[in-house]
Amino acid sequence: MGNVAQAGSHSAAGQMTGYLYQCELALLELARRSWEDASCAVRMEVLDDIEFLDPDSYTPLELIQSKHREAAGPLSEAGKDLWRSVASWIDALEAIAASSSAAMPLLRLVSTQVAPADTFLSMLRSGADRDTRAALARMEKIAGDENGADGTAKDRELFMALTPSQRHQLVDAITVDDGAPVMSDLNPSLAKELGITPSDHAQAALDDIKGWWYGMAVGLLDRKNPQRKRPAVSAQELMCRRDEVLDRYAGKNLPITETLRNLTQAEIAGYEDQLVVNQMRWISLPDPEIAMHLREYHYARAQRSEWLRTFKITPERLGEYEQELHDEWEHVFRRRTRRFHGDMPAPERESLGQAVLDDTMDRAADRPARPGSITAPWIGRGTMHSLADQADTAVPDRAVGWHPDYKDLCKPREETQDQ
């Protein structure tokens, strides 16, 4: 165990945090712009860490270098963060000039460290004290210092190889955005820019949007799969997702964190011997319909468990909800089986059972899990199937079935033989 601590010396945690920070910073920047320009678009790792594009031509309007450092400290004039950013911008500007006649983009260095007051870095902040002329003179002096750090020598040489006019144009486009929040402090800024107000569901809503964003980021970074690759993500797309999520978590509505997906054949097979499937087979439901109902049963169970785990609903209220669903089923079942008689042919019994199922599902879809709220229709339908799956063990006022003889069919085989 003593060697475990030493393994940290080879850890890539800092580098990984830097990549995650870049991803979330792109989301933060896109959210900030979304309130004023829904057409703006972002991409990553093409010409720079983060790029904001002209929505019509997809030419860069802004290039952002993202520098995350957990350790507090000054941003150095001679350090790698600055000079590698400068070299990256020079390469990017050459690529832009070679492919289009686009104007000089804004060049931003976003750093969690702070530029000391007596450095050219502080002169390149936005605001009234910005002084690009003085900053350029200071940069040229540091770049030409033969005793400068070896790690930045090539980057400084690249800067000095520019013509004076090019250096002036480059520095004039640079903005230093220092003192940015570290990774662990980004959430409050993200919530503010996304318009997520403090509430019981605020963190869940933020997590939902961030989960969607990381999926978008995979598409932005995918260079090999044409089906997944995305050229950019627009502020309009983010606004749409934000509105969907905030609507879902608004007011008294219970949050929906599960996404309905078709079950695999292996997942369907796992339910084959359960009563929920037998109930549907007794009324000769075709396999595609059974698979459809199992999907809702599967995800409704997961969603109810998540609500209970995160204290979004009490077990008592969930029990009341199940009782309400049972009452809806009972109205359907008694009405549909009113004229049922013992010598009814098997096909007619099965047809009657299908009608009970269909009507019950329609009524369950409209029943909210919490009074005054809106619940996704599949929650009610899936929960009804949970009651059907327990019809052989449930207390009488919770048993649910589709076939008019479901009570006898649910009895254990040995009990049926004894009778």
Side-chain angles (χ1 to χ4, degrees):
M1 293 293 290
N3 293 329
V4 172
Q6 296 178 0
S9 61
H10 303 288
S11 172
Q15 187 177 17
M16 177 62 73
T17 302
Y19 288 133
L20 295 174
Y21 184 77
Q22 175 185 336
C23 185
E24 296 203 10
L25 178 64
L27 173 59
L28 177 62
E29 294 285 338
L30 186 62
R32 282 174 176 164
R33 288 162 173 77
S34 67
W35 299 105
E36 296 181 359
D37 183 9
S39 67
C40 73
V42 68
R43 69 184 181 189
M44 293 189 291
E45 293 292 345
V46 177
L47 295 173
D48 212 343
D49 291 348
I50 303 167
E51 304 165 47
F52 281 91
L53 311 172
D54 182 293
D56 298 320
S57 64
Y58 268 41
T59 55
L61 300 175
E62 183 173 340
L63 303 180
I64 300 177
Q65 280 280 309
S66 165
K67 303 298 180 184
H68 183 272
R69 299 288 179 265
E70 287 284 358
L75 184 60
S76 171
E77 288 182 308
K80 294 179 181 179
D81 282 359
L82 180 278
W83 289 106
R84 286 186 177 175
S85 296
V86 169
S88 176
W89 287 329
I90 292 173
D91 291 341
L93 293 174
E94 287 180 355
I96 293 171
S99 60
S100 70
S101 57
M104 169 72 78
L106 173 65
L107 310 174
R108 280 180 62 208
L109 173 61
V110 178
S111 174
T112 55
Q113 294 186 311
V114 178
D118 58 347
T119 63
F120 71 78
L121 295 162
S122 65
M123 302 174 193
L124 292 177
R125 294 186 183 123
S126 59
D129 296 331
R130 182 177 172 84
D131 188 345
T132 56
R133 187 180 297 274
L136 173 59
R138 176 72 177 163
M139 283 182 71
E140 289 175 334
K141 181 178 180 181
I142 292 176
D145 185 358
E146 295 182 357
N147 296 320
D150 291 339
T152 63
K154 290 184 179 180
D155 301 327
R156 290 183 285 112
E157 289 172 5
L158 192 62
F159 175 71
M160 292 306 295
L162 299 175
T163 66
S165 175
Q166 288 173 325
R167 291 198 294 271
H168 172 77
Q169 188 180 23
L170 176 71
V171 174
D172 202 46
I174 296 174
T175 294
V176 172
D177 191 352
D178 61 330
V182 295
M183 182 71 179
S184 57
D185 293 334
L186 270 184
N187 273 0
S189 298
L190 279 169
K192 177 182 177 182
E193 296 300 338
L194 288 166
I196 300 174
T197 56
S199 70
D200 291 342
H201 303 321
Q203 186 60 52
L206 180 59
D207 290 343
D208 195 320
I209 295 173
K210 286 171 65 173
W212 167 84
W213 175 250
Y214 274 104
M216 294 295 101
V218 170
L220 291 174
L221 298 173
D222 198 327
R223 301 289 185 261
K224 295 182 179 180
N225 188 340
Q227 294 180 333
R228 295 195 66 176
K229 182 180 178 181
R230 296 178 58 91
V233 178
S234 70
Q236 194 166 28
E237 290 178 276
L238 173 59
M239 290 172 65
C240 180
R241 182 62 180 183
R242 176 179 63 202
D243 291 346
E244 288 176 349
V245 170
L246 294 185
D247 285 348
R248 188 188 313 159
Y249 287 91
K252 295 182 179 180
N253 290 348
L254 289 164
I256 299 297
T257 55
E258 294 293 324
T259 301
L260 284 182
R261 301 181 181 88
N262 288 333
L263 301 184
T264 65
Q265 289 302 315
E267 288 173 322
I268 293 172
Y271 289 113
E272 189 61 35
D273 295 329
Q274 290 191 208
L275 183 56
V276 64
V277 173
N278 289 336
Q279 289 251 37
M280 289 184 274
R281 294 220 181 277
W282 292 337
I283 59 173
S284 296
L285 215 60
D287 286 347
E289 284 194 49
I290 291 177
M292 176 188 72
H293 287 294
L294 281 178
R295 178 184 64 182
E296 296 184 329
Y297 168 68
H298 178 92
Y299 286 107
R301 288 175 63 200
Q303 186 62 76
R304 293 195 310 273
S305 295
E306 175 65 12
W307 286 342
L308 290 169
R309 187 186 67 81
T310 56
F311 303 98
K312 297 300 186 294
I313 194 170
T314 63
E316 292 76 16
R317 173 54 207 164
L318 200 54
E320 292 170 0
Y321 177 53
E322 292 176 348
Q323 182 62 60
E324 291 165 5
L325 290 175
H326 177 274
D327 292 345
E328 295 290 347
W329 163 84
E330 188 173 19
H331 278 284
V332 171
F333 188 80
R334 295 197 181 283
R335 187 176 69 249
R336 283 288 182 178
T337 60
R338 186 184 302 127
R339 295 180 178 84
F340 171 73
H341 50 86
D343 58 350
M344 180 179 284
E348 291 184 29
R349 294 174 187 238
E350 293 168 359
S351 179
L352 190 153
Q354 290 181 12
V356 171
L357 172 64
D358 292 342
D359 290 354
T360 300
M361 291 297 110
D362 289 342
R363 296 185 72 144
D366 295 331
R367 173 62 64 173
R370 188 159 58 191
S373 69
I374 298 173
T375 302
W378 55 270
I379 296 290
R381 294 193 294 257
T383 302
M384 192 68 82
H385 282 300
S386 289
L387 297 179
D389 193 45
Q390 303 170 49
D392 57 344
T393 59
V395 292
D397 64 348
R398 293 288 175 86
V400 162
W402 319 125
H403 194 283
D405 297 320
Y406 83 94
K407 289 185 179 179
D408 290 334
L409 292 169
C410 283
K411 291 179 181 178
R413 182 174 300 177
E414 56 273 17
E415 181 179 338
T416 304
Q417 290 174 345
D418 290 342
Q419 295 178 350

